[in-house]
Amino acid sequence: VPEPVAAQMPSAVAGYDGPLVSLADIRAAAERIRGVALRTPLLPFGDGSFLKPESLQPTGSFKIRGAYNAMAQLPKTELARGVVTHSSGNHAQAIARAARLLGTRAVVVMPENAPRSKVDGVRGDGAEIVFVGPHNSERVERAHQIAERDGLTLIPSADNLRVIAGQGTIGLEIIEQLAELGTAGTPVVLVPVGLGGLAAGIATAIKSLLPEAHVFGVEPELAADTRDSLAAGRPVAWPPERTAATSADGLRAESPAPRPFAHLRRHLDGVLTVSEAQIGRAVGLAARAARLVLEPSGAVALAALVERADELPAGPRVAVLSGGNVDAERYIDLLMTP
Amino acid sequence: VPEPVAAQMPSAVAGYDGPLVSLADIRAAAERIRGVALRTPLLPFGDGSFLKPESLQPTGSFKIRGAYNAMAQLPKTELARGVVTHSSGNHAQAIARAARLLGTRAVVVMPENAPRSKVDGVRGDGAEIVFVGPHNSERVERAHQIAERDGLTLIPSADNLRVIAGQGTIGLEIIEQLAELGTAGTPVVLVPVGLGGLAAGIATAIKSLLPEAHVFGVEPELAADTRDSLAAGRPVAWPPERTAATSADGLRAESPAPRPFAHLRRHLDGVLTVSEAQIGRAVGLAARAARLVLEPSGAVALAALVERADELPAGPRVAVLSGGNVDAERYIDLLMTP
């Protein structure tokens, strides 16, 4: 576990000290995305644990919540010109779908090593794709160039308050659904962390509604940049050559994005890490015991729920399963993980 | 397609001309199973089509609805003695789970060729298993013997009005959920048919609420006994040696059960059949495009939705995905179906 080296690396991004997302922002987002995103069910999973399968969303991940919430608030003329984004895949698909629903143009900058299933999803909704190398910085730079050149609005996958508010609607639903089920005790919610937008939104919603609840981030051991950043008190970067080694392609962030990070410092109780073997086993467990197809990134919270149970506080536990877009060959390999 | 031979076979079961399940029965069942069965989401799937993933239920199939609805109505002393059933697997798991929830004993008679995942599910809930050969008649006979010997109540998987009413709650939810989504047009609902309990309940609910809606059964080509029975106007039997050849182990009925058949004659618009290759492709499609793990029986309605689309009336289409319990090796084979 290589944390000390990473923690000593210089900050890759500037800090953010502007306003944070509020509960009112998240409630407004919930109204805005009604009928576009699904209110995913809370599935009982063993005694006292629950799964929140965002893999069942249109486009196969939670990203439609934030993408649609952000795009639906653009001024009419700005929306009509279109949007551009950079993404490892799931946010790209969500932007493509939101653009189709809102009747506008979308350009997405994706890494050339993105899973075929994610590329196909983007194409299926009619968005234009620009491929670049695997470095996050390349994607960001190219997206900014295209925004400038074509007059498009850039919708980042995480570093945007409206995107964070959209993802936060999952936290609202979890608290409502635990109450509907009559669940007793203080919830413990496990959320995957890449750039941090999902965890930022969910932690904000849950801590605003129920300050005593626990929200933990979950990262692959091979991309534990947010764990290190929280320890250091500032975003620290892991080199993409290292994070590229995790199977969790949606969580290969080099460092948490500034706006999410400001929320995570305020609201997150900690970060758990999971090994590649634990991720692989969780993909298989989800298929057998919950009949859900998960991508590796979508399985990290389940891995932590099952394999790190002893380290968690008491109370009903919820694992957020962020997505299910995985290439068939890769998926079959994962199902065969012993 | 071997229909004429089958249609000429003698009836294997006596007819049923007692009362049918009413909408009030189904509404009462919906109250009874609240908090035990999930209100599964209605997942948009392409333009104007929807999936009802009962694979997400506790124990991985719709069967918990009917099993719990029937057991929860047993008189207290009868419930305390316990229950027995015969099942190819999913009903067995549901009875085992319902018995655990209601704090009583369950014995299930299963075929020795039942999938390992279904056997494990039954064991996991603490039910006793008695294995017999693959013939439905053997299971029925043995279950009756055990009921007699131990004073247990037999809860059939389909030929029981309370079981049918429980499965009918899916039909209530479909109509409610289509309305919540603001869907226009007359629904077309596709439902797998084995012994017929699921289709009987759903067709009764839907036709009672919306007489102009269409409800079609879907059977494997290798077990089209209900298609033949409806054509003949009476239950006709297919030999188990033939139905054993379909991968859809939950639909290897030799003939529709009497009570379900009486409902199907009244309410069903017809039966579509799907080939083994179509079933295999539907399992793969569910994984890729809906991120759902389906067993072959659970995929037949999706196969009909996709491959028989041209034969269906206009209107929003709903495929009921009945279950997701499939052994890992078999599942991987299905995912590799070209």
Side-chain angles (χ1 to χ4, degrees):
Chain A
V1 186
E3 53 195 302
V5 181
Q8 285 155 23
M9 293 186 61
S11 168
V13 285
Y16 171 80
D17 60 4
L20 301 188
V21 165
S22 70
L23 183 59
D25 295 331
I26 299 173
R27 289 198 201 277
E31 287 304 313
R32 218 169 271 124
I33 68 173
R34 194 183 304 278
V36 171
L38 198 70
R39 187 185 196 249
T40 52
L42 198 61
L43 304 176
F45 185 79
D47 288 335
S49 293
F50 301 88
L51 307 179
K52 181 73 170 163
E54 288 292 304
S55 50
L56 301 180
Q57 290 291 358
T59 78
S61 86
F62 69 97
K63 294 282 192 182
I64 189 70
R65 297 177 185 258
Y68 191 87
N69 186 52
M71 286 183 61
Q73 292 182 73
L74 291 178
K76 204 169 169 184
T77 52
E78 203 175 330
L79 179 64
R81 279 196 300 272
V83 298
V84 58
T85 196
H86 47 86
S87 162
S88 65
N90 279 332
H91 177 64
Q93 288 186 85
I95 287 287
R97 177 63 57 87
R100 182 161 75 80
L101 293 172
L102 293 165
T104 192
R105 176 185 178 202
V107 180
V108 303
V109 183
M110 296 178 78
E112 56 208 2
N113 66 349
R116 156 87 37 192
S117 62
K118 295 180 178 181
V119 174
D120 290 346
V122 170
R123 285 225 176 86
D125 276 315
E128 302 155 49
I129 304 182
V130 176
F131 288 107
V132 297
H135 289 224
N136 188 48
S137 56
E138 288 181 73
R139 296 204 287 280
V140 174
E141 197 177 323
R142 182 66 72 87
H144 277 97
Q145 284 169 1
I146 293 168
E148 181 90 10
R149 186 192 70 196
D150 291 5
L152 304 181
T153 301
L154 196 147
I155 309 279
S157 65
D159 199 23
N160 177 297
L161 298 180
R162 290 168 175 177
V163 169
I164 294 170
Q167 323 305 28
T169 57
I170 297 168
L172 291 189
E173 292 176 13
I174 288 171
I175 297 298
E176 287 168 6
Q177 290 170 316
L178 286 172
E180 287 165 13
L181 292 167
T183 308
T186 305
V188 181
V189 180
L190 304 174
V191 189
V193 180
L195 290 169
L198 175 65
I202 291 177
T204 299
I206 287 182
K207 296 286 189 160
S208 302
L209 288 166
L210 207 64
E212 69 273 27
H214 297 277
V215 183
F216 291 94
V218 184
E219 290 186 303
E221 285 175 3
L222 299 178
D225 50 285
T226 293
R227 178 198 59 190
D228 291 351
S229 298
L230 288 169
R234 61 186 167 74
V236 295
W238 279 43
E241 293 73 16
R242 278 175 67 197
T243 62
T246 178
S247 63
D249 56 89
L251 307 179
R252 288 177 192 147
E254 294 155 34
S255 56
R259 285 170 186 77
F261 186 63
H263 292 77
L264 296 179
R265 288 190 70 181
R266 168 87 63 97
H267 293 304
L268 207 66
D269 291 295
V271 173
L272 301 166
T273 60
V274 290
S275 70
E276 293 302 302
Q278 289 172 330
I279 295 170
R281 286 199 294 272
V283 169
L285 181 65
R288 285 194 312 279
R291 298 94 195 172
L292 294 169
V293 174
L294 297 184
E295 60 184 281
S297 308
V300 297
L302 176 59
L305 177 74
V306 172
E307 313 240 17
R308 312 289 297 271
D310 296 347
E311 302 164 46
L312 297 174
R317 291 158 185 190
V318 179
V320 176
L321 312 179
S322 51
N325 291 312
V326 52
D327 287 347
E329 276 183 32
R330 178 94 193 96
Y331 187 60
I332 289 169
D333 286 347
L334 288 162
L335 290 182
M336 292 178 175
T337 301
Chain B
V1 187
E3 53 195 302
V5 181
Q8 285 154 24
M9 294 186 60
S11 168
V13 286
Y16 172 79
D17 60 3
L20 301 188
V21 166
S22 70
L23 184 60
D25 295 332
I26 299 173
R27 289 198 201 275
E31 287 304 313
R32 219 169 271 124
I33 68 173
R34 194 184 303 279
V36 170
L38 198 71
R39 187 185 197 248
T40 51
L42 198 62
L43 304 175
F45 185 79
D47 288 335
S49 293
F50 301 88
L51 307 179
K52 181 73 171 164
E54 288 292 302
S55 51
L56 301 180
Q57 289 292 357
T59 77
S61 87
F62 70 97
K63 293 281 191 181
I64 189 70
R65 297 177 185 258
Y68 191 87
N69 186 52
M71 286 184 61
Q73 292 182 73
L74 291 179
K76 204 169 169 184
T77 52
E78 202 174 330
L79 179 64
R81 279 197 299 272
V83 298
V84 59
T85 196
H86 46 86
S87 160
S88 65
N90 279 332
H91 177 65
Q93 287 185 87
I95 287 287
R97 177 62 57 88
R100 182 161 74 80
L101 293 173
L102 293 165
T104 193
R105 177 185 178 201
V107 180
V108 304
V109 183
M110 296 178 77
E112 55 208 3
N113 65 350
R116 157 85 37 190
S117 62
K118 294 180 179 181
V119 174
D120 290 347
V122 170
R123 285 225 176 85
D125 275 315
E128 302 154 50
I129 305 182
V130 175
F131 288 107
V132 296
H135 289 225
N136 188 48
S137 56
E138 288 181 74
R139 296 203 287 280
V140 174
E141 196 177 323
R142 183 66 73 88
H144 276 98
Q145 285 169 0
I146 294 168
E148 181 91 9
R149 186 191 69 195
D150 292 5
L152 304 180
T153 301
L154 197 148
I155 310 278
S157 65
D159 198 24
N160 176 297
L161 298 180
R162 290 169 174 176
V163 169
I164 294 170
Q167 323 305 27
T169 58
I170 297 168
L172 291 189
E173 293 175 13
I174 288 171
I175 297 299
E176 287 168 7
Q177 290 171 317
L178 286 172
E180 286 165 14
L181 291 168
T183 309
T186 305
V188 181
V189 180
L190 304 175
V191 189
V193 180
L195 289 168
L198 176 65
I202 291 177
T204 300
I206 287 181
K207 296 287 189 159
S208 303
L209 288 166
L210 208 63
E212 69 273 28
H214 298 277
V215 182
F216 291 95
V218 185
E219 290 186 303
E221 285 175 2
L222 298 179
D225 50 285
T226 292
R227 179 199 59 191
D228 291 350
S229 298
L230 288 168
R234 60 186 167 75
V236 295
W238 279 42
E241 293 73 17
R242 277 175 66 198
T243 62
T246 178
S247 63
D249 56 88
L251 307 179
R252 288 176 191 148
E254 293 154 34
S255 56
R259 286 169 185 78
F261 186 64
H263 292 76
L264 296 179
R265 287 190 71 180
R266 169 87 62 97
H267 293 304
L268 208 64
D269 292 295
V271 173
L272 302 166
T273 60
V274 291
S275 70
E276 294 301 303
Q278 289 172 331
I279 294 171
R281 286 199 295 271
V283 169
L285 180 65
R288 285 194 313 279
R291 298 93 195 172
L292 294 169
V293 174
L294 297 184
E295 59 184 280
S297 308
V300 297
L302 176 58
L305 177 74
V306 172
E307 313 240 16
R308 312 289 297 270
D310 296 347
E311 301 164 46
L312 297 174
R317 290 159 186 189
V318 179
V320 176
L321 312 180
S322 52
N325 291 312
V326 52
D327 287 347
E329 277 182 33
R330 178 94 194 95
Y331 187 59
I332 289 169
D333 286 347
L334 288 162
L335 290 183
M336 292 178 175
T337 302

